């Protein structure tokens, strides 16, 4: 069990706003993902998970503490829900937070280029010529034109 001293240290680093507001973590933020972290009970914890456990008990194996508010620094237990990895991914998709196009990892094209590819094709240029002009494979261009990739570009 956690001590009152550890709990007080945890809450001293939380900007506890109104009941419906995000309670922002003011302490250390981990590298990479932007979640608050704290050494608590001799172990490093992501603080939103710690907040869930303080209020609701242990998180079962295989479940995540997910944010309704999508604020990685939020510790408000009213903004958290338990779910699987799939639940968390579906929540991200439903809220349209999935990176697209040039924001999705190692994209080799950008939106301006894709728009120009589509414009040239619609103006009558052959697919093979468009692909060659932009130094992409014919199949990459076909996927773009068919809407299998870069779906958000009309």
């Amino acid at each position: 069990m956690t001590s009152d001293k550890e709990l007080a240290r945890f809450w001293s680093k939380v900007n506890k706003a109104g009941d419906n507001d995000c309670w922002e973590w003011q302490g250390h933020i981990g590298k990479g993902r932007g979640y608050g972290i704290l050494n608590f009970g001799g172990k490093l914890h992501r603080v939103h998970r710690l907040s869930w456990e303080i209020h609701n008990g242990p998180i079962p194996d295989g479940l995540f503490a997910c944010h309704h508010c999508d604020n990685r620094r939020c510790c408000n237990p009213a903004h958290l829900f338990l779910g699987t990895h799939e639940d968390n991914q579906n929540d991200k998709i439903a809220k349209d937070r999935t990176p697209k196009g040039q924001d999705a990892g190692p994209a080799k094209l950008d939106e301006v280029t894709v728009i120009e590819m589509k414009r040239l094709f619609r103006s009558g240029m052959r697919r093979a010529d468009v692909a060659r002009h932009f130094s992409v494979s014919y199949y990459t261009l076909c996927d773009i034109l068919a809407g299998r990739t870069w779906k958000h570009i009309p």
Side-chain angles (χ1 to χ4, degrees):
M1 193 65 196
T2 58
S3 71
D4 289 341
K5 185 177 179 180
E6 285 181 312
L7 285 172
R9 187 168 62 90
F10 171 79
W11 289 116
S12 74
K13 298 177 185 294
V14 176
N15 182 8
K16 204 170 174 183
D19 289 345
N20 296 319
D21 297 322
C22 287
W23 298 354
E24 294 255 338
W25 178 249
Q26 304 298 303
H28 185 75
I29 303 298
K31 293 182 180 178
R33 300 246 181 230
Y35 290 98
I37 58 171
L38 177 70
N39 187 328
F40 192 87
K43 290 175 55 178
L44 276 180
H45 294 268
R46 286 190 174 171
V47 295
H48 67 290
R49 291 179 60 86
L50 189 55
S51 179
W52 176 274
E53 291 184 349
I54 289 168
H55 290 90
N56 301 296
I59 298 171
D61 288 342
L63 293 184
F64 293 75
C66 309
H67 288 92
H68 288 295
C69 61
D70 300 329
N71 179 352
R72 294 176 178 180
R73 295 181 183 204
C74 181
C75 298
N76 185 341
H79 289 194
L80 303 175
F81 66 97
L82 293 184
T84 63
H85 176 70
E86 184 178 4
D87 295 332
N88 203 22
Q89 294 302 308
N90 289 338
D91 181 59
K92 178 171 72 171
I93 291 166
K95 293 175 179 172
D96 198 27
R97 288 189 303 105
T98 305
K100 296 177 184 75
Q102 63 204 33
D103 297 329
K108 295 184 175 153
L109 300 173
D110 59 29
E111 291 182 0
V112 171
T113 303
V114 171
I115 289 167
E116 183 62 8
M117 290 171 143
K118 288 184 171 193
R119 188 192 69 72
L120 288 173
F121 174 71
R122 289 178 185 140
S123 73
M125 187 181 272
R126 294 175 343 125
R127 289 179 185 192
D129 294 335
V130 173
R132 193 173 10 264
H133 179 77
F134 290 99
S135 300
V136 299
S137 77
Y138 179 83
Y139 300 104
T140 296
L141 179 67
C142 289
D143 284 343
I144 291 169
L145 296 175
R148 289 185 290 271
T149 57
W150 293 86
K151 298 174 187 178
H152 65 291
I153 303 290

